[in-house]
Amino acid sequence: MVGTVVEVEIPADEFALWETLTEHENLEFEIERVVAHESDRVMPFVWASGGEGDMESILEEDTSVENLQLLADLDEEQLYQMEWTDHIQTLIHILVDEEATVLSASGNSNHWHLRILFPDRNALSDTYDYCRENDLTLDIRNIYELEQGRKGRFGLTDEQQDTLTLAFERGYYDIPREASAENLADDLEVSHQAISERLRRGHRSLVKNTLIIGRNADEPQ
């Protein structure tokens, strides 16, 4: 059985916090962690940013939110624990029925972007069929397997994985630097240009799939 990582988009009006996002278009949410609380609700830890006014009052007025608790206030963004009770059919199916894991998620007034680890391709197919049968939208943007360990989780190719690993082991990222791109090229018996491209593309994949989830996801790699 091979794990499958999928990047999907769900329209904002088919997901939680739709009321809040409709009224406050500059507001953005990013899920830190989400767990299935009961069979009809989930408990996410959510970062909120871009909002104006009393954010706690805004969220408390959203009918999809219950048991709101502020965990951290960093001026420009706040971390909340809450329960979602509405517009989460797709998420409940993913977490409970298919036993999948939401690796990351972010949302704005247009859509939510989720990166999900399914236990296998059948679980993904079942989720897609479930959404279609229940008039729910699941726009699949990217799929990659975990056949060869961690690199699949971050969208790295074999060459990018090998180059980044070698760069770390040889001290390319140390200060001061212990190895140059030329040294890496010699070790791998490829050109300096090939090394530069692998490092650049590998760094982009790591940043995209760990820090910039959902933003520019449809741009070419």
Side-chain angles (χ1 to χ4, degrees):
M1 186 163 52
V2 178
T4 301
V5 176
V6 183
E7 296 181 27
V8 303
E9 286 188 358
I10 300 174
D13 59 359
E14 296 182 16
F15 211 72
L17 297 170
W18 167 237
E19 297 173 23
T20 300
L21 289 170
T22 300
E23 294 295 326
H24 305 273
E25 294 186 355
N26 293 326
L27 188 60
E28 294 185 352
F29 293 110
E30 183 173 349
I31 296 178
E32 179 79 16
R33 181 163 60 91
V34 59
V35 295
H37 187 47
E38 296 178 10
S39 61
D40 61 346
R41 64 180 63 198
V42 297
M43 185 172 65
F45 294 75
V46 181
W47 286 100
S49 61
E52 298 179 357
D54 186 347
M55 180 58 60
E56 193 163 347
S57 297
I58 292 172
L59 289 171
E60 286 177 343
E61 292 177 359
D62 194 307
T63 59
S64 68
V65 175
E66 289 186 358
N67 299 323
L68 180 71
Q69 182 179 355
L70 177 64
L71 301 180
D73 188 345
L74 305 180
D75 294 330
E76 294 185 357
E77 58 181 356
Q78 297 80 37
L79 176 63
Y80 294 94
Q81 175 184 317
M82 62 185 75
E83 291 183 13
W84 285 350
T85 60
D86 190 23
H87 283 71
I88 54 171
Q89 289 175 263
T90 303
L91 191 57
I92 286 292
H93 177 85
I94 289 169
L95 293 173
V96 177
D97 296 339
E98 303 303 338
E99 298 182 347
T101 301
V102 176
L103 301 176
S104 55
S106 60
N108 54 39
S109 59
N110 295 316
H111 62 259
W112 280 82
H113 185 102
L114 287 75
R115 190 157 58 92
I116 307 161
L117 173 61
F118 285 96
D120 51 43
R121 280 271 185 159
N122 289 334
L124 169 58
S125 296
D126 290 344
T127 298
Y128 185 82
D129 291 341
Y130 169 86
C131 291
R132 184 174 57 184
E133 292 167 2
N134 289 275
D135 296 322
L136 298 170
T137 305
L138 191 71
D139 184 8
I140 298 176
R141 309 305 298 271
N142 196 14
I143 301 176
Y144 35 95
E145 307 292 347
L146 293 185
E147 291 177 330
Q148 297 178 335
R150 291 176 179 266
K151 57 179 171 292
R153 182 178 176 185
F154 302 116
L156 296 173
T157 66
D158 290 340
E159 290 179 344
Q160 291 165 6
Q161 170 84 1
D162 293 342
T163 302
L164 290 172
T165 300
L166 178 64
F168 180 82
E169 292 173 347
R170 289 291 307 276
Y172 178 80
Y173 299 109
D174 292 351
I175 301 175
R177 181 169 287 174
E178 297 294 330
S180 66
E182 288 82 0
N183 298 142
L184 302 180
D186 291 340
D187 288 345
L188 294 174
E189 298 183 346
V190 298
S191 67
H192 177 268
Q193 180 179 355
I195 287 294
S196 297
E197 290 182 358
R198 291 183 193 180
L199 290 172
R200 185 172 65 253
R201 292 176 183 273
H203 293 155
R204 184 186 187 283
S205 291
L206 286 176
V207 171
K208 173 191 170 186
N209 290 310
T210 57
L211 301 177
I212 317 296
I213 301 303
R215 305 173 194 175
N216 303 322
D218 53 352
E219 290 185 359
Q221 293 281 342

